[in-house]
Structure formats: C-alpha cells, structure tokens
Amino acid sequence: MNFSSIIYSVIVLPIESFIEFVFCFTLSKFDDFAVAPAIFAVSLTVNFLALPIYNVADKIQLKERNLQQKMSHWVKRIKSAFKGDEQFMILSTYYRQNNYHPIMSFRQSLSVLIQIPFFIAAYHFLSNTSLLDGQSILFLKDLSKPDSLLPLPIMGGGYAICDKRPSDNHDGDKRRFAFDLYEGRAFS
C-alpha cells in the first residue's frame, strides 16, 4: 500500500462513505423527485460538517494575518533599505525575533486545503455511482455523462468572479477587483 492510498483510506474514504450514506438516505426518502434533493442534501450536509473546521481555519488565518500586519512596516523598510544576502539575513533575524517563519504564510490557504478532501470524495462518489444513470436536473439530461457544452464550469467561474458577499477575511477588495475586471472596469 503506497502513501497516496493510505491518505485516501484515512481521510477521503470516510468522507466519501458519509456522502454515499447521505445521498442514498435522501434518495430513498425523496424517490419521486429523483436525485436533485439527494445532491442538495449532500452539499448541505458537507457544508454543515465542514463549518467547525472552517471556523478553526479562520482563527488560524486571522492570527497569521495579524502577525503579518504587525510585521509589515518593518519588513517593507528592510526590503527597501537592503538587498541580497544582507536583506535575507536581517529579515531572517526579524522573523526569528517574532517567532515567525515565511513557510507559516501557507496558513492563509488553510480553508482551500480543507476543501480538497471533500471535493475529491464527492467527485469520486458521484462519478462512480450508478445511481445517476439516466437521471436529469434542469438542462442536464443525464448526470452520469460528462457535460458536453461545458456550461457548469463557466457558470461556476462566473459565480466565483461575481461573488461579492462581505467577508471576514478581508478579501473584499480582491473580489471587487475581480468583478470589475470581469465587467471591464478594473483599470478605468
């Protein structure tokens, strides 16, 4: 057994099994309505289960953001005044004095990393289940087949660009810029 199959068995397989349980349970209760309620229930359940993990990740990200903000003034001054090895040595000393290492900046991507096992589990279950054969939702005629016109990735991308909800993680400016870029107003 290699490392990737161990990781799959320990992290992804339990999530996939739970997704399968929720999907089949909901499908058995709403049989007349086909798979739409089952897919909705899976999405809702995964979001509720991941919420406590997201809350922890948000606290870690906030701690990282505050630390970087606290250090930003001196980091900018060091970077503007020194170059090369001297800059590296002074920054390393400054980071060490603040109990910080640049690798810690990856803590800001924690919420994305949390989503990966859930996405892999949902994708693996939904792409390998025979329960979707011949089932349709709205304009998707057969959910077991790949989308031939690619509207879902385009719609998902458009939603991500246009999503401007207020957020606690201070990336509203980035979202606003992305929306303005999409609308052609970013540089006007």
Side-chain angles (χ1 to χ4, degrees):
M1 193 178 260
N2 60 14
F3 182 71
S4 62
S5 61
I6 292 172
I7 294 295
Y8 179 81
S9 298
V10 171
I11 297 174
V12 178
L13 191 58
I15 297 170
E16 185 177 342
S17 299
F18 187 73
I19 287 172
E20 181 179 11
F21 169 76
V22 170
F23 185 85
C24 292
F25 177 78
T26 309
L27 195 61
S28 70
K29 298 298 179 193
F30 294 97
D31 193 37
D32 296 337
F33 299 107
V35 297
I39 292 173
F40 179 75
V42 165
S43 175
L44 197 62
T45 304
V46 166
N47 281 321
F48 279 130
L49 289 177
L51 188 61
I53 300 170
Y54 284 132
N55 289 337
V56 170
D58 285 343
K59 288 178 185 174
I60 293 170
Q61 287 174 323
L62 181 63
K63 180 181 174 184
E64 171 68 23
R65 196 175 310 113
N66 290 340
L67 182 58
Q68 283 191 2
Q69 186 176 12
K70 179 184 122 185
M71 296 186 314
S72 68
H73 173 71
W74 283 105
V75 169
K76 286 178 188 174
R77 290 189 67 179
I78 292 169
K79 286 183 176 182
S80 68
F82 301 100
K83 299 290 178 214
D85 289 342
E86 194 175 29
Q87 178 188 39
F88 175 77
M89 297 296 282
I90 294 172
L91 273 176
S92 295
T93 303
Y94 183 65
Y95 288 152
R96 193 171 35 255
Q97 289 172 346
N98 286 285
N99 299 321
Y100 182 78
H101 192 279
I103 197 86
M104 293 175 158
S105 64
F106 286 110
R107 293 187 290 190
Q108 291 190 2
S109 61
L110 199 56
S111 61
V112 172
L113 295 175
I114 290 170
Q115 293 177 16
I116 292 172
F118 289 99
F119 174 74
I120 291 171
Y123 177 79
H124 191 260
F125 169 70
L126 293 173
S127 64
N128 293 320
T129 186
S130 61
L131 297 171
L132 296 178
D133 292 343
Q135 298 291 332
S136 65
I137 296 177
L138 301 175
F139 56 87
L140 301 171
K141 300 300 179 208
D142 189 354
L143 294 175
S144 64
K145 295 186 175 151
D147 188 19
S148 60
L149 299 177
L150 297 173
L152 290 182
I154 292 169
M155 288 170 33
Y159 175 76
I161 289 172
C162 296
D163 184 18
K164 304 178 303 225
R165 290 175 292 165
S167 166
D168 292 338
N169 58 6
H170 305 293
D171 61 358
D173 293 339
K174 292 180 202 169
R175 290 183 181 180
R176 182 75 235 170
F177 178 76
F179 182 72
D180 288 344
L181 186 64
Y182 179 72
E183 292 291 316
R185 299 179 299 205
F187 302 107
S188 58

